[in-house]
Amino acid sequence: MSTTSPNECDQTGARGNAIAQHLNWSNIPVEHPFTGIERQMFVGNQIMICRFRFAPFLVTPQHDHPHEQMTIVEQGKVRFFIEGKEQIACAGDVLHFPSNCWHGATMMDEEVVLLDIFTPLREDFLNGKNPGQRVTRAE
């Protein structure tokens, strides 16, 4: 077993190839798709993980997409709306959204960090777009 650090690993793997990758979030670029949101993406061939930081009280409108999604709440509290039902999730909780599941979220009174895992790849994220999304702040 290798004991090399992440900095010594080959980090040149690009989307679409079959080489293993080892990255650290500190080396993955941060995007700002909307005010109050930071997004980092680690992309494989058929799966991707996105790390989001949301400002307090930010609202992501209810939506659906063909991608299967799993969300891990890493920090903070989130009020999720899933298929018309409301539930609160906090650090350590894991949620599953099947394809075409209607969902949205409102961040509570602190910064929220979510890890979202998608399959297949979110081409809209990769192309710098996110159709149908209008992020607002809760009042």
Side-chain angles (χ1 to χ4, degrees):
M1 181 172 167
S2 173
T3 59
T4 59
S5 71
N7 293 335
E8 297 169 3
C9 293
D10 177 8
Q11 297 183 13
T12 60
R15 181 175 163 224
N17 63 19
I19 68 169
Q21 298 181 69
H22 179 171
L23 298 178
N24 185 290
W25 287 117
S26 65
N27 296 326
I28 297 175
V30 175
E31 302 174 345
H32 296 90
F34 300 100
T35 302
I37 298 178
E38 292 182 359
R39 177 176 67 199
Q40 294 171 282
M41 297 185 291
F42 188 10
V43 182
N45 294 322
Q46 298 177 44
I47 192 168
M48 69 190 302
I49 184 167
C50 298
R51 183 180 183 192
F52 288 96
R53 287 187 182 277
F54 293 99
F57 306 109
L58 198 104
V59 177
T60 62
Q62 295 187 49
H63 62 282
D64 65 354
H65 44 72
H67 315 85
E68 185 172 6
Q69 174 181 342
M70 290 195 144
T71 296
I72 301 165
V73 182
E74 195 173 84
Q75 175 185 316
K77 283 186 177 181
V78 184
R79 177 178 291 117
F80 280 100
F81 302 92
I82 304 166
E83 296 290 343
K85 296 181 182 173
E86 180 180 328
Q87 52 189 279
I88 304 295
C90 57
D93 289 347
V94 181
L95 299 99
H96 174 246
F97 303 99
S99 297
N100 302 310
C101 176
W102 192 250
H103 63 285
T106 299
M107 308 313 128
M108 310 243 345
D109 60 351
E110 58 189 300
E111 180 181 69
V112 172
V113 178
L114 300 179
L115 298 176
D116 284 347
I117 302 160
F118 298 101
T119 188
L121 303 179
R122 291 286 307 253
E123 294 291 340
D124 56 334
F125 286 3
L126 297 174
N127 295 330
K129 298 177 182 172
N130 196 6
Q133 292 292 303
R134 287 185 42 95
V135 177
T136 60
R137 292 187 59 82
E139 305 210 6

